[in-house]
Amino acid sequence: MFGRYFNKKRASRGVEIEDSIMTITEKEDAIIETPFKRQGLNVLWIISVFFISILLARIFYLDMVQNKYYADISKGNRVRSISIKALRGEILDRNGKVLARSVPSMDAVIMPNYLPDDFQKRKEMAEGVARILGLDANNVETMIESQNRKSKETVLLAENITQEQVLILMEKSVDFPGIFIENTAIRHYEYSNIFSQVVGYDGKITREEMTRNPEYKMTDYIGKASLEKQYEKELRGTAGAKQVEVDSMGNIKKNLGIISPKAGNDLILNIDADLQKKLYDSMMEILEKTEKKTAAAVAIDPRNGGVLAMVSLPSYDNNLFAGGIKNNDYQAIIGDKSLPLLNRAINGEYPPGSTIKPAVAAAALSEGIITPETIIDGHGGRISVGGFSFGDWKPHGPSDVRLAIAQSNNIFFYSVGGGYGNISGLGMSRMKKYENLFGFGSPTGIDLPGESSGFIPDEQWKLDTLKEKWYVGNSYHAAIGQGYITATPLQLANYTAALANGGTLYVPRVVSQIKKSNGQVELVDSDVIRKNFISASVMQVVREGMRKTITDGTAQSLKDLPIEVAGKTGTSQFGGEGKTHGWFISFAPFDNPEIAMVILAEGDGDGHTLGIPVTKAVYEDYFKDKTK
């Protein structure tokens, strides 16, 4: 029993043990299963919170941080800013006569971001627009297809279109999405041919000009020549803008506001329009009687360096450029062998001939080569040096410096320039020194673009450039304004002004005032380059010689003018066929000069053909009200 009891007990215990084991396993399973369920929910909850947080952060970022950015994009899809061009400043003469002003105009432009996506639609649109504007359809299509259709920058299609073309395009605007009309203004030039070389012209900006002026748009105008180019920043003004709400086709539905443009500044010139017209007309009248048509003239106020007039012939009509010049007109201008676009007054470089003699006389007197009383024999009109003969334009008798200037005595100036007999001569280095002081050989600094510098040689230049030594004959030629010397008409006019005022060389100025859009006026003074570089006594002798040119010399036809004039004729050879340029420089009145002037007849003999007759006509008109 004990064994059975034990076994039973064991069995019982075994059962109990088994039961116990089973019970423990179920509890453990329960204990283990519950945390796993809780952990899964926790992970899911964390993941959900994470993604919700990201979503909320993104919403916050888009709604709060990027709100303005996306609002601007949204606004940009429905709001268009239309540029309002600023009126370009006017250009007026010294008495208020308008020489250049702006007049309303309209352009057809492309707005790439409004162009249709469909290629066939764009092609049909190009053909329709081309018919209305009288353009080549292939060119219009190429222009449209070359655009970045995401760009909002307007591109010029056709400028200065007619009112009829504007109305047709506006009527068919639904058929031409991306084609718009832009209000602008073009230049109108009064007395265009007379003032074109001074005023210049403006035109649509090119891509090359855009690289230098990135603040401009491709539909903007920019100065291309002369004052329009030189004073571009002052004339341009500041564009305004009109904001409008548009539909998906680009049609304006609502005006949202305007930022007014600011007009450009006005230029008030030293130029006297009446003097300029008289000078131009007088030159044209004489040239029309000859086969020549190239000439130049400059008048300067010797009291302040103001440019009173500037003429270059032939001229051109700058209004042709203002509205977008037609190809046949442009080809006619650039194909003209007389170069009408060349401003001979500041860009033409010519041997000055005998007009240089007053400067050589001043040098010789200043250096003690001669005195005012020195007499030099005329030698029958010819001297010989080293087997070479140097002649006068006609035989002259013995002369002092005043008479030598008046009669343009070459023998006298050969002697003082290169030396002869008992006259030692200046030599080229000293002649160059004084000619440089009078402004030759370097730009004057006038407020016009592209001025030429002229040229004054010396001994070293010839050796370095031509590999030849400088001979006395070279000095002889230089002393009468021949050989390697060149000068511009402007340089000669400025030099004449310095002779007139007793020795003050100014920077010539075309503009005298800049009148700003707010009414303020800025004066543009002529700076003094140098003064008192020649003694007053020497200048007086030279001036008396130039006065003697009128009373006893080569320009006696001016003696009967109502005012006293001083001057100097000049003839300069060029080329190898004996061709000559004719010069005449002058100033008046002699005792109190108000005007200094140079006339050049290019390739037309001496100063008597054009220079003296034009000077007489101009002075008679200019001083008619001042001598009564």
Side-chain angles (χ1 to χ4, degrees), residues 120-184:
Q120 187 60 35
K121 173 64 176 174
R122 294 196 303 272
K123 183 177 179 66
E124 293 172 358
M125 186 175 74
E127 293 172 351
V129 170
R131 280 194 301 270
I132 295 169
L133 298 178
L135 302 175
D136 181 89
N138 291 329
N139 291 342
V140 175
E141 183 179 352
T142 300
M143 185 175 290
I144 288 175
E145 293 303 316
S146 65
Q147 304 306 317
N148 175 7
R149 288 200 294 280
K150 293 182 180 179
S151 173
K152 297 179 181 180
E153 194 69 33
T154 54
V155 178
L156 179 67
L157 178 60
E159 61 181 313
N160 194 29
I161 62 177
T162 66
Q163 187 67 31
E164 182 180 359
Q165 290 169 330
V166 169
L167 292 174
I168 296 173
L169 285 175
M170 291 178 67
E171 183 182 348
K172 295 180 175 292
S173 61
V174 175
D175 300 326
F176 301 142
I179 306 299
F180 294 92
I181 304 300
E182 189 173 83
N183 293 322
T184 184

Side-chain angles (χ1 to χ4, degrees), residues 108-253:
V109 299
I110 300 170
M111 183 70 82
N113 64 322
Y114 285 111
L115 291 170
D117 293 328
D118 182 71
F119 171 76
Q120 187 60 35
K121 173 64 176 174
R122 294 196 303 272
K123 183 177 179 66
E124 293 172 358
M125 186 175 74
E127 293 172 351
V129 170
R131 280 194 301 270
I132 295 169
L133 298 178
L135 302 175
D136 181 89
N138 291 329
N139 291 342
V140 175
E141 183 179 352
T142 300
M143 185 175 290
I144 288 175
E145 293 303 316
S146 65
Q147 304 306 317
N148 175 7
R149 288 200 294 280
K150 293 182 180 179
S151 173
K152 297 179 181 180
E153 194 69 33
T154 54
V155 178
L156 179 67
L157 178 60
E159 61 181 313
N160 194 29
I161 62 177
T162 66
Q163 187 67 31
E164 182 180 359
Q165 290 169 330
V166 169
L167 292 174
I168 296 173
L169 285 175
M170 291 178 67
E171 183 182 348
K172 295 180 175 292
S173 61
V174 175
D175 300 326
F176 301 142
I179 306 299
F180 294 92
I181 304 300
E182 189 173 83
N183 293 322
T184 184
I186 62 170
R187 284 305 233 186
H188 176 74
Y189 299 105
E190 302 289 344
Y191 319 106
S192 57
N193 289 73
I194 297 176
F195 293 95
S196 58
Q197 296 287 3
V198 177
V199 173
Y201 59 91
D202 75 347
K204 289 293 187 182
I205 194 168
T206 64
R207 291 195 179 277
E208 182 181 354
E209 290 168 330
M210 279 281 290
T211 61
R212 299 192 297 269
N213 302 275
E215 70 276 15
Y216 284 62
K217 297 180 179 180
M218 280 303 297
T219 55
D220 283 341
Y221 286 78
I222 192 170
K224 303 282 187 176
S226 301
L227 289 177
E228 290 279 23
K229 181 177 182 179
Q230 183 76 19
Y231 285 90
E232 168 64 20
K233 291 182 179 179
E234 286 76 14
L235 289 166
R236 184 187 178 211
T238 305
K242 177 170 70 173
Q243 286 197 322
V244 295
E245 187 175 313
V246 297
D247 60 20
S248 60
M249 301 298 291
N251 298 310
I252 296 174
K253 295 300 181 182

Side-chain angles (χ1 to χ4, degrees), residues 4 58 109 147 177 202 222 255 276 298 303 327 338 340 451 486 502 519:
R4 289 182 62 188
R58 182 64 176 169
V109 299
Q147 304 306 317
D202 75 347
I222 192 170
N255 290 320
Q276 175 96 2
V298 181
R303 298 167 296 183
N327 186 59
S338 61
E451 181 190 4
T486 61

